[in-house]
Amino acid sequence: MSGTSGTGDTNGTGDTNRTSGTSDRGGMGGMGGMAGVRSTSGAGASAGAGRPLIGADVGGTKIAVGLVTADGGLLDSLVRPTPAAEGPTAVLDAVAAAVTELPGWERASGLGIGTGGVVDRDAGVVLSANDLLPGWAGTRLAAELNARLGLPVAADNDANVFALAEQVHGAGAGSDSALCVSVGTGIGGGLVAGGRLLRGAHWTAGEFGHIAVPEAAGRPCNCGREGHLEAVSSGPAMAARFAALTGRDGVADLREAVAAADGTGPTAEAARAALTEGARALGRALAGLVNTVDPERVVIGGGVASIGAPFWQPLTDAFAAELLPGPAQLRPVPAALGPRAAVIGAATLLLEDG
């Protein structure tokens, strides 16, 4: 559950774009893995016979909303810019306005919202957030959006909703326990056990990007500390490492490193070194988590996960090398839902077994 950045690279559905049709689901595994449903805490939501759910993903640059069926089908969706610089009230107004643009939104049984920062799931309040959404900490998401829309509202961290979407409707469907990790501008995710997403005593479970790893020793993390996984394995971290290895003063683009990795010469070697270092650190960290909690499945998503073999191969090799005998055959699998996960997962909050 990592700031606003845990799923930041999974949400690119295109500014102001709209999609429709249940075919968007692309074989997502139905209802497998959902252990019961409940009403949203304090709001009285229920799926209702044939009634859709609304999911909203609120980031520093984009607001994505969609109508979602109870089995994870995306009926309609759209993306609007986030007026982050105008403050929380303007952002909440923009979320409400985007929801009312969805045809048939009034029929929905509730609104689920995923956003960056630490979110009190029970109260629907942002406890802390970074500067991508100025003043976002303290925002009463559930109460404010309920007042604007008259719908029951559930709220959670964006990385948590990614994990929930993948475990219920995506690559983790059918499993009783899954470790779901999103790797993009940051690293975050969630652990599902017994069909339930674990949030922890202080709502910070799933902050995988802030595991201390030796590969990141001395490197600054976005949280203000040093030596965390996010400082070596996130997209920006690997791009920065590539820039340093090639002697650049400016910031490199990770896509450039990925393209260079297939070539020959010093630049290609630097690209492979940066990607391999980040991937191996992530693989070892995830293996340590597997040895600790023994999940049935490990799912990796986010923009970095789409790199392909230059990232996946060293990640998988390092992961396998650290596993105990019990889970020795387990291997990470790619997330299945892509950019739909944020909206689908947010809507799934309304069905979550508490």
Side-chain angles (χ1 to χ4, degrees):
M1 190 170 62
S2 180
T4 61
S5 56
T7 60
D9 288 350
T10 68
N11 300 335
T13 52
D15 290 347
T16 71
N17 285 351
R18 170 179 257 118
T19 60
S20 62
T22 55
S23 61
D24 256 354
R25 289 186 59 224
M28 291 186 274
M31 291 289 287
M34 181 181 292
V37 299
R38 68 167 173 88
S39 294
T40 303
S41 177
S46 63
R51 296 178 67 188
L53 311 165
I54 299 173
D57 174 51
V58 181
T61 60
K62 294 191 290 280
I63 296 168
V65 298
L67 279 175
V68 180
T69 63
D71 64 351
L74 186 61
L75 300 173
D76 200 356
S77 65
L78 58 87
V79 179
R80 295 291 180 262
T82 305
E86 298 175 32
T89 298
V91 174
L92 292 167
D93 289 343
V95 173
V99 167
T100 61
E101 288 187 60
L102 292 169
W105 73 272
E106 304 94 335
R107 296 187 299 108
S109 59
L111 166 67
I113 180 169
T115 189
V118 177
V119 179
D120 182 327
R121 169 70 170 87
D122 289 342
V125 175
V126 180
L127 300 179
S128 64
N130 66 23
D131 292 337
L132 292 178
L133 286 166
W136 202 229
T139 301
R140 299 163 62 242
L141 296 172
E144 293 288 347
L145 288 168
N146 172 264
R148 285 166 171 78
L149 296 167
L151 293 173
V153 179
D156 206 343
N157 166 266
D158 52 5
N160 275 350
V161 302
F162 156 78
L164 191 61
E166 287 293 340
Q167 196 274 336
V168 176
H169 302 297
S175 65
D176 184 65
S177 59
L179 177 66
C180 301
V181 184
S182 180
V183 187
T185 55
I187 299 174
L191 174 65
V192 179
R196 294 179 56 180
L197 181 63
L198 304 183
R199 293 180 170 86
H202 305 95
W203 309 103
T204 59
E207 292 282 0
F208 305 134
H210 302 289
I211 297 172
V213 295
E215 295 88 344
R219 301 186 196 180
C221 181
N222 289 327
C223 70
R225 295 168 178 81
E226 293 183 350
H228 291 177
L229 182 64
E230 198 166 286
V232 67
S233 299
S234 68
M238 289 188 291
R241 183 62 172 162
F242 173 62
L245 292 173
T246 53
R248 303 185 186 191
D249 293 330
V251 177
D253 190 314
L254 185 61
R255 290 170 294 188
E256 183 182 352
V258 174
D262 288 332
T264 59
T267 299
E269 292 175 3
R272 288 191 290 270
L275 294 171
T276 298
E277 180 185 54
R280 285 178 176 168
L282 179 63
R284 281 193 283 267
L286 294 182
L289 289 171
V290 168
N291 290 338
T292 303
V293 299
D294 194 21
E296 185 178 348
R297 207 164 297 174
V298 175
V299 178
I300 303 178
V304 171
S306 66
I307 287 176
F311 184 76
W312 274 92
Q313 191 61 55
L315 184 158
T316 303
D317 291 345
F319 177 86
E322 300 294 338
L323 293 177
L324 291 172
Q329 301 307 309
L330 184 65
R331 295 295 181 271
V333 297
L337 302 183
R340 296 165 294 174
V343 167
I344 292 172
T348 305
L349 288 172
L350 296 158
L351 304 176
E352 190 182 17
D353 181 7

